[in-house]
Amino acid sequence: MSRIVLVRHGQASWGKKDYDKLSDLGHEQVRTVGRELAQRDIEASRVVSGSMRRQRDTAAELVAEAGWTCEVETDPAWDEYAHTEILTAYKPAYRSMALMKADLARTLRPHRAFDEMYAVATERWVAGAHEGDYEEPFSAFGDRVLTGLAALSDNVGRGETAVVVSSAGAISWVAASLLGGGAPVWTSLQRVIANASLTTLSIGATGPVLRTFNDTSHLERVPDLLTTR
C-alpha cells in the first residue's frame, strides 16, 4: 500500500530574532527522526518540503541522515499559516514581534501571557468573522493544505512512500480533515503535536486515510528531546 509520512520540522528558534531557524535541539531532533526512518526501512520515493527555512533545513538534514538519494521538492502548499499576521490582526498595536515581546516582557509570566493571547488571536482567525484582516483566511489555509495533499496523493505510485516536511498547523489540518472533525478538532490537535513527530497516511482506492498521528516514540527514548514548541 502507498503511504505518506508527514514530519513536523525540528524545534525552531522560539523567542529569538529569527524564529524560522532550527535550534540546536531542533537539529538533534531531525537527526533522530532521520535515523528512525532508516531503521524502519522506509525508503522515500519522494521528499517534499514546505518553503519555510525551518522546513527546508529539516528536509535536507533528514534526507542526509536517512541515507536517501532523492532530491527534496519544495511546495508552498505545505507552508505553515502566518502566525505573526494573526497576532497583529488581533492586536494592531503590535506592529512587529519586537513590540509584542517588549510588552509581554513586562508581565510576570510572559510565556503564559503570550500563550493566552495567541489562543484568542487564533480563535478569531479560525472563526472567520474578520477574513478581511488576513492575507490568508483560515478557510484559504485549509484549502491550500488539502490541495497539496491531493496533488501528492495522486502522484504516489503503488507501494511507494512519500515523505513531507511541514508544520504543526498544516499537519493537524490534514489529520482533522481526514477525521471529519473540522476546525474544533484542528485546534486541539495543533496544540499537542510535537517537533519532529511522525504522522502517517495510507493511500487507498478512496484516497488518503489517517493511520497514525503525532508518533513521538523515537524522541521519547532520548531525555529532553521531546518538545512541542
Side-chain angles (χ1 to χ4, degrees):
M1 184 174 291
S2 305
R3 62 184 168 182
I4 297 173
V5 178
L6 302 173
V7 182
R8 186 187 176 192
H9 61 75
Q11 184 188 60
S13 299
W14 192 89
K16 303 297 183 182
K17 185 176 181 179
D18 183 7
Y19 170 76
D20 196 23
K21 178 182 178 182
L22 294 180
S23 66
D24 291 341
L25 180 60
H27 284 288
E28 185 178 353
Q29 290 169 336
V30 174
R31 291 191 293 270
T32 298
V33 77
R35 291 191 295 269
E36 177 69 16
L37 293 177
Q39 289 170 6
R40 294 186 187 187
D41 294 324
I42 292 177
E43 184 63 41
S45 56
R46 294 180 65 183
V47 177
V48 181
S49 166
S51 66
M52 294 172 163
R53 179 182 177 183
R54 61 190 183 274
Q55 299 169 336
R56 291 184 285 105
D57 288 353
T58 293
E61 195 163 1
L62 174 64
V63 167
E65 196 67 32
W68 299 332
T69 58
C70 54
E71 296 291 329
V72 177
E73 306 168 40
T74 301
D75 184 355
W78 294 102
D79 286 358
E80 185 61 298
Y81 58 85
H83 68 278
T84 302
E85 180 188 57
I86 290 169
L87 285 165
T88 55
Y90 172 61
K91 289 284 190 180
Y94 295 145
R95 297 183 302 276
S96 70
M97 292 296 285
L99 286 173
M100 181 195 70
K101 291 174 184 176
D103 189 31
L104 293 179
R106 290 191 285 269
T107 66
L108 293 176
R109 297 179 179 178
H111 286 183
R112 181 174 179 178
F114 173 84
D115 288 344
E116 290 174 351
M117 181 179 68
Y118 187 68
V120 175
T122 303
E123 287 174 6
R124 180 181 187 271
W125 177 59
V126 171
H130 305 275
E131 289 197 349
D133 291 350
Y134 308 99
E135 183 174 337
E136 183 178 55
F138 181 72
S139 58
F141 161 73
D143 288 345
R144 165 170 63 79
V145 173
L146 293 185
T147 297
L149 174 63
L152 181 61
S153 299
D154 289 344
N155 289 283
V156 178
R158 186 177 181 84
E160 293 184 339
T161 297
V163 174
V164 177
V165 177
S166 189
S167 294
I171 295 171
S172 296
W173 183 245
V174 168
S177 298
L178 294 179
L179 291 172
V185 173
W186 174 82
T187 299
S188 297
L189 293 181
Q190 74 142 0
R191 288 174 179 164
V192 300
I193 187 169
N195 297 118
S197 63
L198 301 173
T199 294
T200 306
L201 316 178
S202 61
I203 306 174
T206 59
V209 176
L210 182 67
R211 294 302 183 189
T212 68
F213 173 74
N214 196 32
D215 176 7
T216 59
S217 57
H218 52 294
L219 303 169
E220 295 171 26
R221 301 186 195 115
V222 182
D224 303 320
L225 200 58
L226 180 62
T227 62
T228 57
R229 181 167 62 189

